[in-house]
Amino acid sequence: MKGIFTALMCSFDEQGNINEQGLREIVRHNIDQSKVDGLYVNGSTGENFLITTEMKKRIFEIVKDEAGDQVKLIAQIGSLNIDEAVELGKFVTELKYDAISAVTPFYYKFDFEEIKDYYETIINEVNNDMIIYSIPALTGVNMSLDQFGELLAHDRIIGVKFTAPDFYLLERLRHAFPDKLIYSGFDEMLLPASVLNIDGAIGSTFNVNGKRAREIFELAQQGKITEALEIQRTTNDLISAILANGLYQTIKEMLKTKGVDAGYCRKPMKQISAEKVARAKELAEKYM
Ligand code: SI3
């Protein structure tokens, strides 16, 4: 379960329906071209919070069917509707996903007792390993070292996807929990996170920049920081350009330039202008 995991995109048609063939092509691109270690399915990048339960299930099925056992698969099943989270957790466990992951519950400003109960409810009902998905910038949920510790005390809570720019907390987590899996979630900060000895990374831009992500991660593990920094700089030139152009839309357009039918984003995400599509093509030609 270590290494580079792509936060998988999903291909949707212009009406917002799943484009099955396109999704399969995205999976194949990540496995065959980028050679990532695993896929993180139905996370933020998968537009998970914009789709129905049935669509989530279908995506989990298609990805498992296409990927088989070629790479590790983590299913993001977290939901404000805890019944849905449990239902999806059981569903992907039947499909033989390697682990589940759940975003911290958001919107209602739950206290830690409620957050803990959410994770305990899921792991008591679902017989699979759990990775906490912490992304405070989007959820507003900031957990302390002690609170992470209370969750990680459960044997079946095996790790954290840590998507925050707090390197002090990341270092403390690594030091306190050497046997848990810690994944970094901000691709633009992969090198500093790797220096802190993370186990892997989960990122959206790995859909188009997976090879560089692996190089950064592996060079850092070998202590070759100058070489890793060089690649992180190139990576950050790409990420800055992607963020300026529209994150998920630009990654999809870059994939399309390479013959992968990545489709469109779901509403309320908008489609990008022709000018931005052209910019995405330039980025694909320069960086992929
Ligand atoms: O669940 C997921 O799709 C992720 O892993 C998200 C991942 O942390 C990305 N965050 C978001 C909000 O998209 C990052 O990969 C991010 O896109 C990237 O670092 C650019 O800022």
Side-chain angles (χ1 to χ4, degrees):
M1 294 295 287
K2 298 188 178 187
I4 297 298
F5 282 66
T6 297
L8 197 70
M9 311 224 90
C10 183
S11 178
F12 298 103
D13 66 22
E14 281 178 277
Q15 286 69 46
N17 305 305
I18 298 166
N19 169 355
E20 175 171 341
Q21 182 52 30
L23 174 56
R24 287 180 185 276
E25 289 175 19
I26 297 174
V27 172
R28 289 260 59 89
H29 174 80
N30 275 290
I31 297 175
D32 301 336
Q33 306 301 323
S34 305
K35 304 202 184 306
V36 295
D37 299 296
L39 303 174
Y40 187 84
V41 186
N42 279 338
S44 313
T45 308
E47 299 168 61
N48 172 75
F49 304 104
L50 308 179
I51 60 178
T52 65
T53 310
E54 289 317 307
M55 291 170 85
K56 293 176 193 180
K57 286 184 173 174
R58 189 66 198 124
I59 291 167
F60 285 132
E61 281 175 338
I62 295 167
V63 173
K64 179 64 188 178
D65 185 60
E66 188 61 47
D69 297 325
Q70 288 184 277
V71 292
K72 297 287 182 193
L73 295 178
I74 303 173
Q76 197 296 121
I77 53 89
S79 170
L80 282 186
N81 174 350
I82 199 159
D83 296 332
E84 185 196 42
V86 168
E87 181 183 335
L88 291 173
K90 289 180 176 168
F91 185 78
V92 297
T93 302
E94 284 278 307
L95 288 176
K96 304 231 175 316
Y97 270 67
D98 298 285
I100 55 172
S101 178
V103 69
T104 52
F106 51 93
Y107 190 80
Y108 289 106
K109 302 201 186 302
F110 301 102
D111 64 24
F112 181 66
E113 198 184 326
E114 292 166 321
I115 293 171
K116 193 173 168 197
D117 181 61
Y118 164 88
Y119 283 106
E120 287 175 346
T121 301
I122 298 173
I123 60 168
N124 287 338
E125 299 254 357
V126 179
N127 187 21
N128 206 337
D129 290 332
M130 162 70 81
I131 294 160
I132 299 161
Y133 179 8
S134 176
I135 181 161
L138 295 187
T139 59
V141 178
N142 278 289
M143 288 193 291
S144 66
L145 180 64
D146 288 346
Q147 290 172 336
F148 275 113
E150 278 195 48
L151 298 178
L152 291 168
H154 290 281
D155 284 349
R156 278 205 291 108
I157 301 191
I158 60 165
V160 182
K161 169 166 140 46
F162 185 87
T163 310
D166 185 341
F167 290 98
Y168 176 44
L169 180 55
L170 180 58
E171 188 281 329
R172 291 290 80 192
L173 273 170
R174 173 72 299 165
H175 179 68
F177 306 104
D179 299 328
K180 298 286 182 178
L181 292 166
I182 300 183
Y183 303 93
S184 90
F186 271 132
D187 316 351
E188 49 277 56
M189 302 174 210
L190 176 57
L191 174 56
S194 300
V195 168
L196 294 179
N197 221 4
I198 50 168
D199 296 292
I202 299 171
S204 65
T205 62
F206 304 166
N207 282 282
V208 290
N209 194 47
K211 284 186 187 156
R212 283 193 196 88
R214 171 182 299 290
E215 284 173 344
I216 294 167
F217 182 60
E218 291 180 351
L219 285 168
Q221 284 180 322
Q222 296 158 18
K224 296 182 178 166
I225 304 304
T226 308
E227 292 93 325
L229 181 56
E230 187 74 21
I231 301 168
Q232 183 75 67
R233 285 211 174 107
T234 306
T235 288
N236 286 359
D237 289 343
L238 170 61
I239 293 177
S240 307
I242 289 176
L243 291 173
N245 206 54
L247 175 60
Y248 302 134
Q249 294 92 335
T250 301
I251 294 174
K252 288 188 178 189
E253 292 301 329
M254 288 178 73
L255 284 168
K256 284 189 217 171
T257 303
K258 295 289 158 181
V260 178
D261 184 8
Y264 301 90
C265 290
R266 290 257 313 171
K267 282 185 177 181
M269 287 192 199
K270 63 182 180 215
Q271 292 191 22
I272 53 174
S273 63
E275 212 171 65
K276 288 189 170 185
V277 170
R279 176 72 180 130
K281 282 200 174 69
E282 284 170 16
L283 293 174
E285 266 139 35
K286 182 164 178 194
Y287 290 99
M288 283 177 85

